[in-house]
């Protein structure tokens, strides 16, 4: 309370307190937000896990229905059934059983069906056939799958059921007649009304559980509440709660329960997830966070007060010394290096101020003349007019400061003036005799007169870089240092040297210092002609995916070969200008052309590979969208041609055939298609066929050769070559990528 309100100590300490309060508040809010989001994320992820698992179960049951239905009408099964009719008992041919066993074994052994066995049970004398053989009524009690409750009488009673397909509750069966080693089986039966036989698929419940959902507490019930399957881990759950209509999850007995009801078959899937461990961890984390927060605030208060005192004490002493006359000015020594530097330089600045004033009044050097600075803005002329002055200055080198915009708005004049003055101060502090000027809108140079070359300013440049990096989001600076020139008349040559070295700037989001000249660097980066033509072809065709793939490949190549910033900009402006011309040729409106020209300027504020990628993607998508929109303007003739090609792409359809239907000549129709769409008939046909090929490669298991024949290519080599030309990859690479994407999803 004894401190003055304007005291530096009080203001610094209060600033620290405000920062501590803000950080503490942010920390508490962040943890509360994290705790709530964690609970919601657990619910969302587990509900999604159950939904996906239920979808897999339902899809598998539908697949099994199709398999059972197809097997049900197998000719061997039907023929043998006819022989079991009482009127035909004398002509029973048991050789049909061999065919039936082979069919059942082939189906049951398919690993994708998860079947342990597949049985055919004939109602006549309860004769049974499975993948291992057959058994009559007398021997059914010895068959593993006819153990209670699923006895022969149980399955005989199923012939009276009105349901065609039915899932039966899970039951434990011994493996290979070993009583101690049990396997959980879900019977799935198919029986048609009035039929003499039924199919029973013995499904391996645990294999399906591992494949579709994983080892989690899981339950499948019918809409009447009958339990069809409960996973082994569900045995630890005492009771599954009842869900009200529309309720998908609930917290019950320290467990989260999730439910999914299939609208088609009425099956209810329920999953349990324990939440006690997570709740305990969150509680412990909350206690730990509170303790750490309180300790941090206490330590921060103590440190803040101590730092405030340390900062205030030397400042107070320096200010007291400034009030003394110059001849009595003492040199302050403190525990802070920066304050020592301030104190040591105060005396030097006073001496230099007097000396500078004297030189400005008496020197006849052109550096005090405004006309000299004006001539520096045009370095290619007028240098001979200063030679008398320059020869008297001795050896020198140049430092070029290239100021780069971070936005499309011009750099503020105040920022330029601050950089120029700060560079002058830093060079002066390091004992260099230098003259700093702004010669162009975004260029500043320092002429440093020394005998020992650019190595002498290394420390000064590092200090400049450290300071300029702090504000690089406002203005990014490239520092270029020329070699030592022995005579001042070579100022023009030195400027050309640093201008050429500026092309060596790399893709970096920080201040760069360039001190060595590399003759191998140029502003151009050459690509193969076919690669450039491929990109332009995709742009003109309105193919945004192909265009993005092509430009990304080119950027990847440049990044791999460590291309410079100038080379990246040259590529961007070169192809950007070509895209604008492509828009003009396509008849895109002037307003969109103007937007494209504005978007093209964004490349001037890109300094990293990611920024160039982002700008290229946005620019290409915009341009291609306008070109494609212009091409998609409705035209009856074009609509008929494209519709005919879409429906008959697999045939050897010629342009003459379409022209005959339109009562036009093929030559006129060819020119008309090219004029209206920007592509000829063959190009359209190839694009349609390749699009159909992409669909078949994604949705079918057909070979590449078969797909090529189905879409109209009689030669598989031609198909592969055209597919790669239009998509940038072969059919095999495309299919592998799609399979990889699906597996990750």
């Amino acid at each position: 309370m004894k401190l003055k309100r304007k005291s530096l100590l009080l203001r610094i300490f209060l600033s620290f307190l405000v920062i501590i309060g803000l950080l503490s508040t942010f920390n508490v809010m962040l943890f509360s937000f994290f705790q709530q989001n964690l609970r919601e994320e657990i619910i969302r992820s587990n509900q999604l896990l159950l939904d996906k698992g239920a979808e897999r179960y339902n899809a598998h049951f539908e697949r099994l229905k199709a398999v059972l239905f197809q097997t049900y009408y197998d000719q061997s099964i039907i023929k043998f059934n006819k022989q079991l009719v009482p009127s035909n008992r004398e002509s029973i041919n048991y050789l049909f059983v061999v065919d039936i066993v082979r069919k059942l074994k082939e189906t049951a052994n398919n690993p994708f069906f998860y079947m342990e066995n597949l049985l055919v049970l004939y109602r006549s004398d309860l004769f049974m056939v499975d993948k291992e053989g057959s058994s009559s009524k007398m021997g059914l009690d010895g068959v593993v799958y006819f153990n209670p409750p699923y006895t022969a009488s149980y399955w005989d009673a199923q012939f009276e059921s009105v349901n065609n397909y039915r899932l039966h509750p899970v039951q434990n069966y011994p493996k290979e007649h070993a009583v101690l080693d049990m396997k959980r089986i879900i019977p799935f039966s198919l029986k048609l009304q009035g039929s003499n036989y039924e199919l029973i698929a013995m499904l391996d419940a645990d294999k399906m559980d591992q494949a579709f959902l994983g080892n989690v507490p899981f339950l499948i019930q019918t809409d009447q509440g009958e339990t069809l399957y409960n996973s082994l881990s569900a045995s630890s759950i005492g009771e599954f709660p009842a869900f009200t209509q529309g309720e998908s999850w609930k917290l019950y007995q320290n467990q989260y329960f999730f439910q999914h009801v299939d609208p088609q078959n009425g099956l209810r899937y329920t999953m349990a997830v324990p939440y006690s461990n997570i709740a305990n961890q969150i509680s412990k984390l909350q206690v730990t966070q509170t303790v750490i927060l309180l300790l941090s605030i206490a330590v921060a208060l103590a440190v803040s007060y101590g730092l405030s005192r340390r900062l205030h004490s030397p400042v107070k002493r320096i200010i007291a010394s400034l009030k003394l006359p110059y001849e009595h000015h003492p040199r302050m020594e403190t525990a802070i290096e920066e304050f020592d530097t301030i104190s040591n330089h105060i005396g030097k600045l006073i001496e230099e101020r007097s000396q500078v004033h004297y030189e400005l009044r008496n020197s006849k050097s052109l550096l005090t003349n405004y006309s000299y600075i004006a001539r520096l803005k045009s370095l290619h002329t007028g240098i001979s007019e200063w030679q008398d002055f320059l020869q008297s200055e001795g050896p020198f080198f140049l430092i070029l400061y290239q100021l780069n915009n971070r936005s499309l708005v011009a750099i503020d004049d105040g920022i330029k003036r601050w950089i120029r003055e700060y560079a002058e101060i830093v060079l002066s502090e390091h004992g260099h005799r230098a003259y700093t000027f702004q010669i162009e809108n975004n260029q500043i140079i320092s002429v440093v007169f020394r005998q020992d070359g650019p190595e002498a300013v290394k420390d000064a440049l590092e200090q400049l870089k450290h300071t300029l990096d702090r504000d690089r989001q406002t203005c990014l600076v490239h520092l270029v240092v020329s070699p030592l020139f022995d005579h001042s008349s070579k100022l023009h040559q030195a400027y050309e040297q640093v201008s050429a070295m500026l092309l060596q700037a790399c893709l970096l989001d920080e201040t760069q210092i360039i001190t060595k000249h590399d003759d191998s660097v140029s502003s151009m980066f050459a690509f193969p002609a076919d690669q450039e033509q491929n990109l332009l072809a995709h742009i003109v065709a309105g193919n945004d995916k192909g265009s993005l793939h092509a430009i990304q490949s080119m950027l990847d190549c440049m990044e791999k070969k460590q291309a410079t910033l100038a080379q990246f900009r040259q590529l961007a402006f070169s192809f950007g200008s070509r895209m604008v011309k492509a828009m003009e040729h396509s008849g895109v409106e002037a307003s969109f052309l103007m937007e494209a020209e504005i978007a093209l300027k964004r490349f001037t504020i890109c300094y990293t590979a990611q920024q160039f990628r982002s700008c290229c993607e946005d620019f290409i998508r915009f341009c291609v969208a306008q070109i494609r929109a212009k091409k998609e303007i409705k035209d009856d003739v074009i609509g008929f041609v494209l519709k005919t090609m879409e429906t008959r792409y697999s045939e050897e359809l010629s342009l003459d055939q379409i022209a005959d239907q339109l009562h036009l000549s093929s030559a006129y129709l060819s020119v008309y298609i090219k004029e209206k769409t920007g592509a000829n008939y063959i190009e359209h046909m190839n694009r349609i066929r390749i699009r159909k090929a992409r669909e078949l490669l994604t949705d079918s298991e057909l070979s590449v050769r078969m797909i090529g024949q189905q879409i109209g290519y009689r030669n598989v080599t031609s198909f592969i070559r055209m597919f790669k030309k239009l998509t940038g990859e072969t059919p095999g690479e495309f299919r592998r990528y799609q399979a990889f994407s699906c597996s990750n999803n």
Side-chain angles (χ1 to χ4, degrees), residues 241-253:
F243 287 78
T244 60
Q245 186 174 3
E247 191 175 25
S248 61
W249 67 273
K250 65 168 50 180
L251 182 61
Y252 180 73
Q253 294 183 352

Side-chain angles (χ1 to χ4, degrees), residues 277-513:
N277 293 337
I278 298 177
N280 291 335
Q281 290 178 3
I282 292 178
S283 178
K284 292 179 181 178
L285 183 61
Q286 188 173 12
V287 172
T288 303
Q289 183 258 354
T290 303
V291 172
I292 293 176
L293 178 62
L294 294 177
L295 290 176
S296 300
I297 292 175
V299 173
L301 288 173
V303 172
S304 299
Y305 183 75
L307 287 176
S308 301
R309 296 283 298 181
R310 289 191 64 190
L311 290 172
H312 177 258
S313 179
V315 171
K316 184 177 180 180
R317 293 168 60 193
I318 292 174
I319 293 175
S321 68
L322 290 176
K323 296 179 180 180
L324 299 174
Y326 171 71
E327 58 273 10
H328 298 99
H329 182 271
R331 296 300 175 96
M332 304 294 300
E333 293 186 1
T334 68
I336 301 176
E337 181 181 355
E338 287 77 4
F339 288 148
D340 283 340
T341 303
I342 293 173
S343 179
N344 291 332
H345 281 277
I346 286 177
K348 293 181 180 179
L349 290 175
I350 295 174
E351 296 173 359
E352 291 177 358
R353 182 179 62 181
S354 300
Q355 183 179 354
V356 168
H357 286 180
Y358 176 80
E359 290 179 354
L360 289 176
R361 286 193 302 268
N362 300 288
S363 176
K364 296 181 180 180
S365 171
L366 287 176
L367 287 175
T368 59
N369 193 326
Y370 175 80
S371 62
Y372 174 75
I373 300 176
R375 288 189 181 96
L376 279 178
K377 294 182 179 180
S378 182
L379 290 177
H380 291 80
T381 60
I383 293 182
S384 59
E385 300 176 18
W386 321 325
Q387 281 190 351
D388 292 340
F389 163 75
L390 295 175
Q391 288 175 357
S392 64
E393 299 294 325
F396 75 100
F397 57 88
L398 283 186
I399 303 176
L400 173 65
Y401 311 85
Q402 178 65 42
L403 313 184
N404 299 290
N405 291 32
R406 297 311 299 261
S407 66
L408 296 179
V409 180
I411 300 175
D412 185 76
D413 289 338
I415 295 175
K416 301 174 187 176
R417 182 169 58 254
W418 178 87
I419 293 175
R420 177 177 59 81
E421 293 174 354
Y422 182 73
E424 211 168 357
I425 291 172
V426 171
L427 291 172
S428 175
E429 287 178 348
H430 285 78
H432 304 301
R433 187 162 58 93
Y435 304 91
T436 304
F437 313 95
Q438 181 175 345
I439 61 170
E440 293 293 347
N441 188 30
N442 286 346
Q443 280 189 347
I444 298 172
I445 65 167
S446 292
V447 184
V448 184
F449 295 92
R450 289 191 67 93
Q451 298 284 344
D452 48 358
E455 286 295 327
V457 295
K458 182 178 180 180
D459 293 339
L461 293 178
E462 288 297 330
Q463 182 177 342
L464 280 170
K465 172 179 169 54
H466 178 73
T467 303
L468 294 173
D469 275 345
R470 296 176 182 174
D471 295 321
R472 65 179 182 273
Q473 297 303 325
T474 302
C475 176
L476 188 64
V477 182
H478 292 158
L479 303 177
V480 187
V481 185
S482 75
L484 184 68
F485 290 84
D486 57 356
H487 199 275
S488 302
S489 61
K490 297 181 180 180
L491 180 62
H492 170 65
Q493 182 180 349
Y495 179 79
E496 289 186 337
Q497 180 81 23
V498 293
S499 298
M501 293 170 65
L502 187 61
L503 298 177
Q504 300 172 208
C506 305
L507 291 177
L508 286 176
D509 192 14
E510 65 182 37
T511 304
Q512 297 184 50
I513 301 175

Side-chain angles (χ1 to χ4, degrees), residues 594-620:
M594 187 175 297
E595 288 186 35
E597 292 287 354
I598 295 174
L600 190 59
K601 295 179 181 179
R602 290 187 56 205
F603 291 109
T604 61
I605 57 174
C606 294
Y607 299 99
T608 65
Q610 183 58 39
Q611 290 173 352
F612 275 101
R613 291 178 189 277
S614 178
C615 284
C616 284
E617 289 178 4
D618 294 342
F619 187 78
I620 288 177

